[in-house]
Amino acid sequence: MIKNFIKNAGWPRIIIGLFLLALFITAPFVGVNVFTSFNNTIVRFGMNGVMVLAMIPMVQAGCGLNFGLPLGIIAGLLGATLSIELNTEILAKLAELGIRYKISWLTREFLTAYREPAGFASAILIAIPIAAVLGWLYGKLLNRVKGDEMMIATYVGFSSVSFMCIAWLLLPYKHPTMVWGYAGRGLRTTISVEGYWLHILNDWLSLNFQDKIEIGGKILDVNLSIPTGMLIFFAVMAFIVWIFMRTKTGTAMTAVGSNPEFARASGVNVDKMRTISVMMSTILGAIGIIVYEQSFGFIQLYMGPFYMALPAVASILLGGASVNKATILNVVVGTFLFQGILTMTPTVFNSVFQTDMSEVIRLIVSNGMILYALTRKVRA
Amino acid sequence: MVRKFFDIIANNAVPAVFILISAFAIPLSGFSASYLVQELLTRIGRNSFLILSLLIPIMAGMGLNFGMVLGAMAGQIGLLFICDWGIVGIPGMVLACLIGTPIAIILGIFCGHILNRAKGREMVTSYILGFFINGVYQMTVLYLMGWIIPITNPNLLLSRGYGVRNAVSLSGIRAVLDNLIPTVITNPEGAKQFLNVNGAGSFFLIQLPFFDGTIRIPLATFIIIALFCVFIVWFRKTKLGQDMRAIGQSQSVADSAGIPVNRTRIIAIVISTVLACYGQIIYLQNMGTLNTYNSHDQAGMFSIAALLIGGASVSKASITNVFVGVILFHLMFIVAPMAGKNLIGEAQIGEYFRVFVSYGIIAIALVLHAWKRNREREAARRSLRGGNGGKA
Amino acid sequence: MSANNNAPLLQLEHIGKEYYGNRVLSDISFSIEAGEILGLVGENGAGKSTLLNILFGMPVIASTGGYEGNLYLDGKPVHFTSPNQALSAGLGMVHQEFSLIPGFTATENILLNREVLNGSLMSYVFSDRVSTLDRDAMRHRAEAAINTLGVHISPDMTVSEMPVGYKQFIEIAREIDRKNTRLLFLDEPTAVLTEQEAEILLIALKKLSKQGIAIVFISHRLSEVKELCSRILVLRDGTLVTDVPAKTLTTREMASLVVGRESSKKEEAVEVEIPEQPVEEENINETLGTTTLSKKKKKKKPALKVEHLWVDMPGETVRDVSFEVQKGEIFGIGGLSGHGKLGIPNGIMGLYPAGGKVKLFGKKLTLNKPRAALSRKMAFVSEDRRGVGLLLDEPLDWNITFTAMQTQGRFLFGIPYIFQMRNELAMAKETKKFIESLSIKCTGPSQKAGELSGGNQQKVCLAKAFVLRPDILLICEPTRGIDIGAKALVLDTLKEYNRENGTTIIITSSELEELRSVCDRVAIVDDGEIVGILPASRPAEEFGMLMMGEKMRVALEYTE
Amino acid sequence: MFVAFLKFLMRWFQRLIVLAALIALGVWLFYIGREHQIFLDNKTSGNFKALEQINVSVNGGEISELMQRERDVKKVVGPKFEIRAEIFDEDGEIVSTISKEIKICFSKDIMINLPTLAAGEENFIVPAPK
C-alpha cells in the first residue's frame, strides 16, 4: 500500500512534499504566520498555474519540455502592452459605435464601469493571435530538429527575449505610462498595470477573512484573501486543456507523443499535431503571463521573461510529469509544491537562520528536478 | 560541383555573415584601428583559453559543453582562497589553479556520470547541470564560506560575517600573467613617448614604422595559449584522442571494439572542466575583479557563442574556429554599442544587439546541427537501400 | 601455442540453450580443425545467432541463464563471459552489419583500439592511452592485413567514401590483423557484395585458410557455400541436422535440409490437405462476393495489383516487385530476412518511401501516405509490434480503437470537423468485445499495452486491424516472438476471419511452414525481388531452393 | 598475478609521490607568493623610546619618513624582505643606518617596532594590529 503510493508519487515528490510539510509545521514555532504564508502560496499558485499548464500540450505531443516558453510570454507582453496602448482608443471607438447604432447598453458609463475587464480581455485577445503565429513558426522549426527540441527551445526563448529587448526600444509605443519619460519613446523596464487591470482576477469574487485567533497563547492575525477569480480562471483553463486532450485532435496528439511511428501508421499527420501542440503551448504561455501580471501588478519587459521557463518546467516535473507524459494533476500538484517551497523557505529560513536562502534553494530544487527528469531512463 | 560550392558557403556562412556585420559596424563605430587591435589582443588573451576548453568534448561527440561553467566555478573558488590568504602574483595564480584542479576534477566526474545517464541529451543536461551546480556553488560561497569553510579576510566577506561579497578585487593577481613579459608595439614616435613615460624598463619594444598608436601585448598569456594549442594538437594524436574521435562518430562501434565508452566520455568532460577552470583564472586575472555570483555564467555563454561564430558546429570544431570566433565575436562586441549609438542614437540597442547575437547564434548553430543530423540520418537510411533501388 | 596438437581447434559438445523455457538450441556437437572452412547454413531463427552468441560469450547468454554443454579450445575447456575474452582467445567475428566508423580511414578502422603506440614517459605516469599513435607503423600493419586478402584498397581511404564491398574487406582485415586470430566467423559476408567482389572474397578466404586460419562461413547462398567450404553444417530448429563434407550434397539437397520436411510420408500427409483449401475458399468467396458485397465489382479484377513496386525500407529494400492478389485469398510472402519481404506491405501502406503502381480493386492507390491506404479500407499489422504496432504507454482501448477513430471517425461524439471528443464508453465496449473474442489476457480495457505478454500484444494488434473492418489485411510476422499456443490461436483467428468476412489477407512471415499452412499461394522474395510464386501445396524444398538464392524463375508459371 | 599487483602498487605509489609533490608545490607557492603587510611603528615600546625621525624603506622601495608615534604600512611579497632604516636625531642628522633582512615565513602580517630595531635588539617583531 505504502510502497505503491511511493511508487506512484515518486521519491522526489515525497521528499519535497515532506520538506514543505515540515516548513509548514515549523513555521508557527519560529513566528511565521502560517495563514499568510498559505495565502501567499495560493496566490502564487494562481499566478503561475496557467504557465505551468502550458507545458502539457508539448510534453504530451512528444516535443519535450517547453524551454521556449519565453516566446509565448513575449506574445503575452505584446498583448498586455498593446491593450494598454490602445485602451482608450478602443473604448472611444466602442462608445462611438454605441451612439451610432443606438445600442442602449453600450454607453460611456458602461464602458467606464467595465474598462478594466475589457482591458484584460483585450490583452488576452490581442495576445492569442500573436502567440498563434509565433507558435506556428516555432512549431515548424521544432519539427525540423526532432530529438534536439529542448536545447533549441531554450535558445529560441533566449534569442527571442533578447531580440524583443531591441524591439521594446524601437516599437512606436506612445502611451505616457509606458514609455520612458525623458526620451518620450522606448518602453520602460517595468510598467504598472494599476488603473488598467491590476488584480482583476485576484479581486473577482475574492474571499476575505480578517480575524484574530489564539493559538498556544499567541494572538495570530488571520488576514486571508483568497483570489477566487484567479483560481476559477485557472480551473477554466485547465478544464479547456483537459477537454482538448480528450478531443480527436488531443487524442492524436497524445498518441504522437506516446509513439510517433504508431500515430503515423494510423494515418495521423505527426508534424501537424506537433505544430498544434506548440501553438497551444505558446498561447497558454501568453495567457499565463497576463494572468501573472495582473496579480503581480507590473509588466516586466526586457530581460524579465528570460528565465521564466525554468520555474514552469520545474513545477510540472515536480508534479510528477516526465519528459513525455504530463497531466493536469501534475500541474496542480507541482505548482502547489513549487510555489509552496518558494513562499515558505524565505520566511521560515529567515526566521530560523536569519538569512534568506530561498534563491539558492530554488536553484537547487528546480534544476535538480529538471536534471532528475532528464537523466531518468525513458522507454527506448 | 555546384553542391560542393554550396557546401563550402554553407559551412562558412556564420563567419562570413559576421565579417560582413563587422565591415559595416567598424566604420560606424568610429574606433581607431589601434584601439580595436589593442582591445582584440586583450580579449584574445582573455578568452581563448576558455573557448579552447570546449574542443575536447566536441571531439568526443558530446556537443557543446555547457557544463564548462562548472570548471569556471572551480577556478573562482581557487581564486577566492588565494585572495583570502593573500597570495599574489604568478605564485597566486598557479596556486589558484592548484586548488581549482581537484574541485574541477570532482565536478567533471560528476558531470560525466550525469551525462552518461542522459545520452543524446548531453547539451540540455549539461546546461541544466550548470544551473544546478550554480545553486550548490552559491550555497557554498554565500553561506558556507566564512562559516564552515575558513575565510577570514574582511575584504572578502560580507559585513554579516559569512558569505563572500558580490565583487571581489583580484588586485593581487591583476594582469600578472599579461604583464609577465611586457611587450609593446608602436612606431618610433610612439616609442619615444612611451619610454619617456615609462622609463627604460624591461619592455620588449617592437617598433613598426607604419603603425599608428601604441598597443600592449599580453605575450605570456599568448605563450600559454600557444602551449595549450600544442597540447590539443598532441592530444588528438594520442590513443585517448583517437578513442574520443571514435566514440564521437559511433558509440556502438567504439564499444564493440572494446573502447571503454563511458569512461572515455567522463575523461573528456573532466579535461574540459579542468581546462575551463584554468581558463576562468586566466580570464579573471585579466579582468582584475571577480563577480562572485555571475562571472561564470557569462563565461559559458560567451565562449560557446564565440566558438560557433568561428564556424564550429556542435560536432566539429578546430583551433582555427576558436581564434576566428574570438576575433569576430569580440570585434562585434566592441563595436556594436558604439555603432548602435552612432546609427540610432541609442547605445542600449547595441548592447541588446550583441546579447541577441550571442543567443541567436547559439540557437542557429543548434538548429543547423539538428537539421543536418536529421538529414544525414535520412541519407544514411537511403544509402542502406543499396543497389538500384528506387530506379525501377 | 596449443598444448595438445591432436585436439581440434574448437570443439563443441552438446551445446544447448533455452530462453525463458523456449528451447532454441539443443545438443549441438561439432569440431573445427585449424585451416578448415566450415559452412553453416540454416533458416532465420534456426539458432545460428544464438550459437554465435554462446561462442562469443555475449552477456545476453549469461543474463538468461547460461548454456548447456561444453566448449573446448585446443582441447582445453573454455567458457567465455565476455566478447573480449573470446577475441583474445583467437576467435574473430565479422558481423552482417558493418561495425566501422565512417569518418575514419581504413587504417584507423582496422586498428581500432589496437593502435600502435609510441612509448613515452607520460604513458608511464598516466596510462597507455596518452601515448601518441605511430601512424606509419599502423599504416604498414593495415596494408599487410589488406594485402593478405588479395585486394587493393588504399589504407588512407575514408570508410564513408568506400563502396560497400570494400567495407566488408576492411571488416575482415580488422579481424585478421589481430595476431592471434585463428578462427574467423563470417556472418553473411557476401550478402552486400557484387558477384565479382564475392569472388575475390572467396579467394581471399581460401588463402586465409591455407595460412591455418579456420573459417566458419555463414551464408544463404548455397552455391557459394558449396564452392568454398570443405564441410557443411545445417542447422534447423535448434538442432544440427547435417554435418557432412560439402562435396556430398547438391544445392537442392541442401535447400531441402535447410527448410526441413524431407519428403517423408508423414509430412506429405500434411501437405496434401493444403491444396484443397484454395478451391474451397474460392468457392466461398465467389458466393461472398456476389451476396454480401453488393458493390459492383468486375469479375477477374484482382483485389490488389502491384506493379514494379520499389520500397526504400532500411534493411528490407524492395527493388522491383509485381504480383496480384485475388479477392478473398490468403496470400503469403516469404523469404529470408533482409531480402525485402517486409518492405512490400510496409511500402504499400505508405510507411516507407515507395514507388511503382499499386491498384486496389482496380483503382490506383496513393503511395507514401498511410492515411490514403487506411481510408481505402486496408489494415496493417506491423512486424515491429513495440515500435510501430502499439502505444505501449497507453491503455488497450486506445491501442485498439485509435486507428479507427482517426481514420474513420468512429468512437467519437460531437460535431465532425468542429468538435469531436472521444467516446470512452464506446471504446471500452469495443475493446471488451475483442478481449473476449480473441481471449486477450489482461485486467481490462484500461490496462497499458506495454504490460501484456508478446502473444497478447499481437492479439491487440490484430484487434486494432479488425476494428477497421478492412477489405484487405496486411500482416507482417504474425507469430514472431510469441509462444506456441498463441501462435496457433493467431493463425486460426486469421483463417477464421478470412472465411467469415471474405477479407483478403496478405501475410508476410519468415516461417515458411506457417505460410504454407495458412496461405493459398506463397511468394518468395529474394534480394528485393519476387523469385517465384507457388501454391502452398508445392513441396517445401522448392520454396527452400527459391529462398536460398537459387533463382529459378521456373515457378512463375504457377502464378497464372 | 603477483607481478600485476606489484605494478599496480608501484603505480599508486608513484601517483602518491606526484600528489605529494603537488601539495609541496602548493605549500611552496603559498610560501613565496604570500603578500604581507609590514606595519612600521615608531612608538615607545618598553625601554625603547620613540625615535625623533626614522626613514624606512622596504625592499628598496619608496622611503617613508616616520616621526614620533607615527605608523606606516608596507606591502611585501614572499617569505623575507630587506629593511633599510636611517635614524635621525633632533637636528635632522643621520645618527645611524640599519640594514636588515627579516624573515616572515608563514605568518601573515607583522609589525616592526622601529625603536627596538634601532636599538639593535632582536625582539622588534610584534603582532600586527587588527
Side-chain angles (χ1 to χ4, degrees):
Chain A
M1 182 63 193
I2 292 172
K3 228 177 181 175
N4 230 341
F5 174 74
I6 290 175
K7 203 183 150 203
N8 284 339
W11 274 112
R13 226 140 296 111
I14 290 172
I15 292 168
I16 284 164
L18 288 177
F19 177 63
L20 185 60
L21 194 70
L23 286 177
F24 269 111
I25 291 170
T26 16
F29 297 104
V30 295
V32 173
N33 191 330
V34 187
F35 296 100
T36 318
S37 303
F38 187 74
N39 194 30
N40 283 340
T41 308
I42 294 286
V43 171
R44 295 175 72 149
F45 170 83
M47 278 165 80
N48 291 282
V50 181
M51 276 193 277
V52 183
L53 206 58
M55 294 292 144
I56 288 190
M58 270 177 68
V59 169
Q60 284 291 78
C63 300
L65 301 158
N66 185 8
F67 284 101
L69 190 68
L71 202 64
I73 291 178
I74 282 168
L77 294 177
L78 279 168
T81 46
L82 282 173
S83 97
I84 293 179
E85 175 84 13
L86 304 175
N87 192 295
T88 0
E89 280 176 44
I90 290 177
L91 293 178
K93 284 261 160 60
L94 281 176
E96 216 171 84
L97 284 178
I99 293 163
R100 187 182 299 166
Y101 295 103
K102 299 207 168 60
I103 306 168
S104 58
W105 52 268
L106 199 60
T107 58
R108 218 165 272 279
E109 291 73 42
F110 175 85
L111 286 173
T112 351
Y114 287 93
R115 201 172 67 95
E116 294 199 5
F120 182 69
S122 64
I124 288 182
L125 288 178
I126 296 168
I128 285 176
I130 299 173
V133 172
L134 289 179
W136 184 75
L137 291 171
Y138 175 36
K140 289 274 161 206
L141 177 72
L142 289 190
N143 279 338
R144 303 210 167 206
V145 297
K146 281 177 196 151
D148 260 355
E149 288 97 343
M150 286 192 260
M151 198 67 215
I152 286 166
T154 310
Y155 276 91
V156 166
F158 286 170
S159 38
S160 59
V161 168
S162 41
F163 175 78
M164 284 312 287
C165 285
I166 303 173
W168 298 131
L169 280 175
L170 295 181
L171 286 174
Y173 281 97
K174 290 280 176 324
H175 204 284
T177 60
M178 295 201 296
V179 295
W180 291 114
Y182 53 83
R185 68 196 191 104
L187 290 169
R188 295 164 195 247
T189 27
T190 49
I191 296 164
S192 170
V193 297
E194 203 175 348
Y196 295 95
W197 23 269
L198 178 68
H199 288 182
I200 184 139
L201 291 177
N202 288 42
D203 294 345
W204 181 44
L205 297 177
S206 72
L207 299 172
N208 296 301
F209 300 102
Q210 258 181 339
D211 204 351
K212 285 183 199 299
I213 52 169
E214 204 185 305
I215 300 173
K218 273 190 203 163
I219 307 255
L220 213 58
D221 271 322
V222 178
N223 197 350
L224 286 183
S225 157
I226 303 296
T228 324
M230 192 157 65
L231 295 181
I232 291 174
F233 189 86
F234 170 74
V236 169
M237 293 312 292
F239 184 68
I240 291 173
V241 173
W242 187 84
I243 287 280
F244 176 79
M245 294 319 289
R246 261 149 197 79
T247 59
K248 185 180 170 187
T249 316
T251 310
M253 198 183 273
T254 311
V256 167
S258 195
N259 183 351
E261 285 303 308
F262 176 95
R264 200 168 74 87
S266 294
V268 171
N269 185 341
V270 173
D271 283 358
K272 189 174 142 199
M273 287 304 141
R274 287 168 53 105
T275 310
I276 293 177
S277 81
V278 175
M279 283 171 74
M280 267 192 78
S281 183
T282 311
I283 291 173
L284 282 170
I287 299 174
I289 191 68
I290 298 174
V291 174
Y292 181 91
E293 283 159 359
Q294 63 81 29
S295 179
F296 186 65
F298 297 97
I299 301 170
Q300 291 171 293
L301 299 177
Y302 299 95
M303 298 309 257
F306 206 68
Y307 282 130
M308 278 212 167
L310 286 180
V313 170
S315 294
I316 196 161
L317 293 175
L318 197 56
S322 70
V323 178
N324 49 12
K325 259 280 145 309
T327 64
I328 307 278
L329 186 71
N330 296 148
V331 171
V332 175
V333 172
T335 315
F336 188 81
L337 283 180
F338 191 75
Q339 297 301 333
I341 284 179
L342 242 55
T343 24
M344 291 305 288
T345 40
T347 46
V348 174
F349 272 66
N350 257 346
S351 319
V352 179
F353 303 106
Q354 268 78 47
T355 167
D356 178 15
M357 287 179 78
S358 62
E359 173 65 14
V360 166
I361 287 181
R362 187 188 65 79
L363 268 174
I364 293 179
V365 167
S366 61
N367 294 304
M369 212 51 232
I370 301 172
L371 261 191
Y372 171 79
L374 287 174
T375 51
R376 221 155 50 151
K377 285 268 174 284
V378 188
R379 180 177 61 82
Chain B
M1 199 58 208
V2 176
R3 196 171 177 82
K4 209 162 197 179
F5 180 72
F6 178 77
D7 277 352
I8 290 172
I9 294 282
N11 289 339
N12 297 300
V14 178
V17 166
F18 273 85
I19 290 172
L20 262 177
I21 294 180
S22 307
F24 276 105
I26 291 173
L28 269 174
S29 70
F31 287 127
S32 71
S34 66
Y35 175 82
L36 281 178
V37 172
Q38 172 71 71
E39 279 291 303
L40 273 180
L41 287 177
T42 312
R43 283 158 191 263
I44 291 172
R46 190 196 287 166
N47 292 293
S48 302
F49 204 98
L50 270 173
I51 305 170
L52 283 164
S53 77
L54 289 167
L55 292 183
I56 284 169
I58 292 178
M59 204 161 96
M62 302 177 80
L64 301 164
N65 182 18
F66 286 84
M68 70 176 283
V69 289
L70 273 61
M73 288 184 238
Q76 284 168 204
I77 288 178
L79 286 175
L80 284 176
F81 275 111
I82 61 148
C83 275
D84 181 44
W85 297 337
I87 318 294
V88 299
I90 295 295
M93 261 186 82
V94 178
L95 188 58
C97 292
L98 223 51
I99 298 165
T101 310
I103 302 171
I105 289 175
I106 291 167
L107 288 176
I109 291 173
F110 175 67
C111 181
H113 277 285
I114 294 266
L115 293 191
N116 278 340
R117 285 180 61 97
K119 278 184 188 157
R121 285 203 279 250
E122 282 94 351
M123 281 192 274
V124 69
T125 310
S126 63
Y127 173 74
I128 296 291
L129 187 69
F131 279 112
F132 179 73
I133 296 293
N134 187 21
V136 177
Y137 168 84
Q138 289 202 10
M139 180 136 102
T140 314
V141 173
L142 199 53
Y143 301 103
L144 302 185
M145 281 201 167
W147 177 37
I148 291 175
I149 301 167
I151 295 281
T152 48
N153 191 339
N155 293 332
L156 245 61
L157 291 180
L158 292 165
S159 53
R160 68 184 183 193
Y162 62 90
V164 175
R165 283 169 196 270
N166 189 27
V168 173
S169 162
L170 300 175
S171 50
I173 60 162
R174 176 178 290 141
V176 284
L177 186 63
D178 295 345
N179 295 339
L180 188 63
I181 310 170
T183 313
V184 172
I185 296 184
T186 183
N187 52 8
E189 190 66 18
K192 249 181 247 160
Q193 279 181 13
F194 186 84
L195 289 175
N196 279 342
V197 176
N198 293 287
S202 52
F203 290 96
F204 282 111
L205 258 181
I206 300 166
Q207 300 190 13
L208 295 174
F210 305 108
F211 197 81
D212 183 30
T214 303
I215 55 172
R216 286 157 176 271
I217 299 172
L219 192 62
T221 317
F222 282 174
I223 290 171
I224 297 272
I225 290 166
L227 285 177
F228 185 27
C229 293
V230 171
F231 165 77
I232 287 189
V233 171
W234 167 80
F235 186 80
R236 286 213 173 114
K237 288 185 176 167
T238 61
K239 168 96 177 81
L240 192 56
Q242 180 79 354
D243 288 354
M244 281 181 191
R245 281 178 56 215
I247 290 169
Q249 294 211 20
S250 168
Q251 281 189 39
S252 56
V253 173
D255 185 48
S256 66
I259 298 172
V261 172
N262 282 354
R263 195 181 141 78
T264 310
R265 281 163 54 99
I266 292 173
I267 293 174
I269 287 292
V270 168
I271 293 177
S272 171
T273 314
V274 170
L275 293 178
C277 163
Y278 302 159
Q280 183 75 350
I281 290 171
I282 292 176
Y283 175 86
L284 289 173
Q285 66 86 28
N286 177 277
M287 299 295 284
T289 41
L290 162 64
N291 276 327
T292 317
Y293 301 104
N294 41 27
S295 278
H296 50 271
D297 261 356
Q298 295 184 345
M301 199 264 285
F302 289 149
S303 305
I304 286 169
L307 183 64
L308 293 173
I309 288 170
S313 79
V314 174
S315 52
K316 205 167 171 355
S318 66
I319 294 175
T320 324
N321 296 142
V322 172
F323 290 105
V324 173
V326 78
I327 290 172
L328 287 178
F329 181 66
H330 284 286
L331 198 57
M332 181 206 71
F333 228 76
I334 301 160
V335 296
M338 258 336 247
K341 192 174 178 189
N342 292 343
L343 192 67
I344 313 171
E346 193 113 40
Q348 198 68 24
I349 294 214
E351 298 272 346
Y352 285 132
F353 178 73
R354 62 189 196 186
V355 176
F356 167 61
V357 165
S358 313
Y359 287 115
I361 199 71
I362 299 178
I364 289 170
L366 292 172
V367 166
L368 286 179
H369 170 69
W371 197 338
K372 207 170 139 198
R373 190 201 52 204
N374 287 355
R375 271 213 324 239
E376 269 166 15
R377 217 177 267 166
E378 199 83 343
R381 270 205 324 186
R382 215 165 296 139
S383 74
L384 272 176
R385 180 166 62 194
N388 63 341
K391 280 182 206 155
Chain C
M1 192 156 187
S2 62
N4 184 351
N5 281 327
N6 300 327
L9 178 59
L10 178 76
Q11 190 177 359
L12 288 80
E13 250 181 33
H14 311 298
I15 298 293
K17 170 74 192 160
E18 262 185 15
Y19 279 117
Y20 310 108
N22 206 349
R23 181 149 287 279
V24 289
L25 270 189
S26 51
D27 198 27
I28 308 284
S29 303
F30 64 91
S31 59
I32 309 164
E33 303 288 343
E36 199 179 9
I37 306 185
L38 219 64
L40 181 62
V41 288
E43 264 186 297
N44 301 112
K48 284 175 306 193
S49 45
T50 311
L51 187 63
L52 290 179
N53 283 346
I54 291 173
L55 287 172
F56 279 85
M58 290 308 219
V60 65
I61 298 293
S63 66
T64 52
Y67 61 91
E68 305 142 22
N70 298 306
L71 287 176
Y72 300 95
L73 200 66
D74 301 323
K76 279 182 278 180
V78 284
H79 187 122
F80 301 126
T81 49
S82 84
N84 284 338
Q85 284 178 11
L87 292 179
S88 50
L91 272 61
M93 172 86 199
V94 177
H95 289 273
Q96 209 172 343
E97 294 92 29
F98 294 128
S99 171
L100 297 173
I101 290 176
F104 275 21
T105 62
T107 304
E108 287 171 316
N109 267 298
I110 290 171
L111 294 172
L112 188 62
N113 207 24
R114 286 198 311 277
E115 290 89 350
V116 186
L117 303 177
N118 295 318
S120 75
L121 185 68
M122 290 288 277
S123 70
Y124 187 71
V125 178
F126 294 98
S127 79
D128 286 341
R129 296 181 86 187
V130 293
S131 311
T132 48
L133 306 182
D134 185 347
R135 296 244 166 215
D136 284 335
M138 284 171 67
R139 201 169 178 283
H140 285 304
R141 258 176 70 178
E143 231 164 13
I146 295 171
N147 286 342
T148 330
L149 288 173
V151 288
H152 300 286
I153 303 173
S154 160
D156 300 322
M157 195 172 187
T158 311
V159 163
S160 60
E161 288 163 2
M162 286 182 188
V164 188
Y166 278 29
K167 294 183 186 170
Q168 186 76 62
F169 287 113
I170 298 300
E171 285 255 1
I172 297 169
R174 180 161 77 192
E175 294 309 311
I176 57 177
D177 169 73
R178 212 190 298 277
K179 285 208 183 68
N180 59 353
T181 300
R182 291 176 294 158
L183 175 54
L184 198 57
F185 290 81
L186 298 155
D187 190 3
E188 295 233 35
T190 54
V192 289
L193 302 187
T194 63
E195 258 167 56
Q196 282 157 320
E197 285 169 340
E199 251 164 55
I200 297 172
L201 178 72
L202 296 189
I203 293 166
L205 291 179
K206 280 180 187 159
K207 221 171 141 190
L208 282 180
S209 83
K210 288 218 179 74
Q211 295 169 12
I213 295 176
I215 294 169
V216 175
F217 186 78
I218 301 168
S219 176
H220 293 299
R221 294 189 180 173
L222 297 183
S223 50
E224 276 172 17
V225 174
K226 206 169 135 49
E227 187 199 326
L228 178 70
C229 305
S230 52
R231 259 164 68 213
I232 290 181
L233 307 181
V234 178
L235 214 55
R236 190 205 321 142
D237 298 335
T239 53
L240 191 62
V241 288
T242 329
D243 179 356
V244 291
K247 299 210 171 59
T248 58
L249 282 179
T250 63
T251 46
R252 198 179 171 88
E253 279 167 338
M254 262 198 267
S256 67
L257 281 170
V258 168
V259 292
R261 323 293 173 230
E262 295 150 82
S263 314
S264 72
K265 290 274 181 315
K266 193 177 130 217
E267 314 242 354
E268 253 179 295
V270 181
E271 284 176 20
V272 175
E273 286 175 19
I274 303 162
E276 291 166 14
Q277 270 187 347
V279 187
E280 273 176 21
E281 305 236 332
E282 232 135 60
N283 291 341
I284 295 167
N285 293 336
E286 293 279 340
T287 52
L288 271 174
T290 47
T291 55
T292 56
L293 302 169
S294 53
K295 282 177 208 161
K296 47 178 173 172
K297 212 168 287 165
K298 282 164 210 155
K299 278 281 159 68
K300 296 274 174 192
K301 194 150 262 182
L304 183 73
K305 188 174 178 181
V306 175
E307 285 171 356
H308 302 295
L309 177 77
W310 60 263
V311 182
D312 180 15
M313 177 174 173
E316 287 281 345
T317 308
V318 179
R319 296 178 203 283
D320 183 0
V321 158
S322 304
F323 61 91
E324 286 181 8
V325 182
Q326 302 303 325
K327 201 185 157 342
E329 190 181 21
I330 303 186
F331 186 79
I333 302 176
L336 295 164
S337 65
H339 284 263
K341 66 174 183 303
L342 291 173
I344 297 172
N346 275 294
I348 294 174
M349 289 306 290
L351 293 181
Y352 288 95
K357 239 194 224 168
V358 177
K359 277 186 175 170
L360 205 62
F361 299 111
K363 266 168 76 186
K364 200 167 177 264
L365 174 76
T366 316
L367 288 173
N368 301 321
K369 268 191 183 164
R371 193 162 193 118
L374 286 165
S375 62
R376 295 283 294 277
K377 302 215 84 174
M378 285 166 92
F380 178 59
V381 176
S382 171
E383 76 287 352
D384 186 1
R385 217 156 40 219
R386 299 175 73 84
V388 181
L390 292 171
L391 291 168
L392 295 171
D393 295 338
E394 307 294 342
L396 289 185
D397 53 354
W398 275 59
N399 276 283
I400 290 177
T401 58
F402 181 79
T403 314
M405 181 197 299
Q406 296 296 328
T407 56
Q408 301 176 347
R410 288 154 62 201
F411 311 107
L412 291 168
F413 61 81
I415 313 146
Y417 299 109
I418 296 170
F419 181 77
Q420 280 179 301
M421 276 182 70
R422 52 175 193 260
N423 186 343
E424 304 213 331
L425 283 176
M427 284 163 67
K429 205 175 134 200
E430 187 80 5
T431 306
K432 273 185 194 142
K433 209 176 86 193
F434 278 104
I435 290 175
E436 257 172 51
S437 65
L438 297 178
S439 57
I440 300 170
K441 281 192 204 92
C442 62
T443 58
S446 55
Q447 191 177 15
K448 299 243 160 74
E451 295 165 4
L452 299 187
S453 72
N456 285 310
Q457 284 182 346
Q458 185 66 356
K459 289 179 198 167
V460 172
C461 289
L462 285 182
K464 184 183 93 178
F466 292 156
V467 168
L468 293 170
R469 300 176 192 144
D471 289 338
I472 297 184
L473 180 55
L474 292 93
I475 299 185
C476 291
E477 302 285 3
T479 61
R480 182 189 277 180
I482 66 180
D483 58 87
I484 296 169
K487 258 183 196 177
L489 197 131
V490 165
L491 293 178
D492 287 343
T493 311
L494 288 176
K495 274 199 248 180
E496 202 181 289
Y497 196 78
N498 166 267
R499 208 172 309 138
E500 282 173 6
N501 305 310
T503 311
T504 313
I505 299 181
I506 298 171
I507 301 178
T508 311
S509 172
S510 318
E511 301 202 18
L512 189 59
E513 275 320 291
E514 182 181 297
L515 289 176
R516 289 179 64 224
S517 71
V518 182
C519 305
D520 302 323
R521 288 186 302 149
V522 179
I524 299 295
V525 177
D526 182 61
D527 211 9
E529 284 169 34
I530 288 186
V531 286
I533 301 178
L534 301 174
S537 52
R538 300 291 297 177
E541 59 178 71
E542 284 187 13
F543 291 101
M545 292 294 286
L546 287 175
M547 268 160 81
M548 297 299 140
E550 302 301 305
K551 296 190 182 177
M552 317 183 306
R553 289 175 189 269
V554 288
L556 280 169
E557 67 210 50
Y558 294 105
T559 55
E560 301 309 319
Chain D
M1 200 58 194
F2 182 68
V3 174
F5 179 71
L6 247 161
K7 239 180 176 173
F8 173 82
L9 217 66
M10 201 57 193
R11 186 155 266 181
W12 275 102
F13 180 67
Q14 286 158 350
R15 283 180 187 178
L16 267 175
I17 288 178
V18 171
L19 189 69
L22 283 174
I23 291 173
L25 174 67
V27 172
W28 181 70
L29 289 168
F30 188 96
Y31 186 67
I32 62 155
R34 195 160 204 197
E35 189 181 60
H36 308 270
Q37 288 187 64
I38 312 296
F39 292 90
L40 302 168
D41 195 23
N42 189 9
K43 276 186 195 147
T44 308
S45 147
N47 300 329
F48 309 103
K49 268 192 75 186
L51 304 162
E52 198 64 29
Q53 185 193 349
I54 179 165
N55 286 4
V56 188
S57 91
V58 170
N59 280 348
E62 204 183 321
I63 296 168
S64 49
E65 298 179 7
L66 294 162
M67 297 300 166
Q68 273 185 22
R69 285 184 300 285
E70 274 188 346
R71 186 185 274 180
D72 200 357
V73 64
K74 300 266 181 195
K75 285 186 176 177
V76 299
V77 176
K80 57 186 178 192
F81 63 94
E82 187 225 328
I83 187 166
R84 190 185 292 270
E86 293 171 332
I87 301 154
F88 294 80
D89 60 9
E90 290 108 60
D91 310 326
E93 298 292 319
I94 296 179
V95 180
S96 61
T97 320
I98 302 172
S99 179
K100 214 171 174 70
E101 197 178 85
I102 299 171
K103 285 193 173 173
I104 328 171
C105 295
F106 283 99
S107 57
K108 175 96 174 81
D109 301 338
I110 56 167
M111 181 148 79
I112 294 176
N113 187 265
L114 293 173
T116 317
L117 180 76
E121 289 289 324
E122 280 305 308
N123 55 342
F124 52 83
I125 295 175
V126 292
K130 279 284 162 187

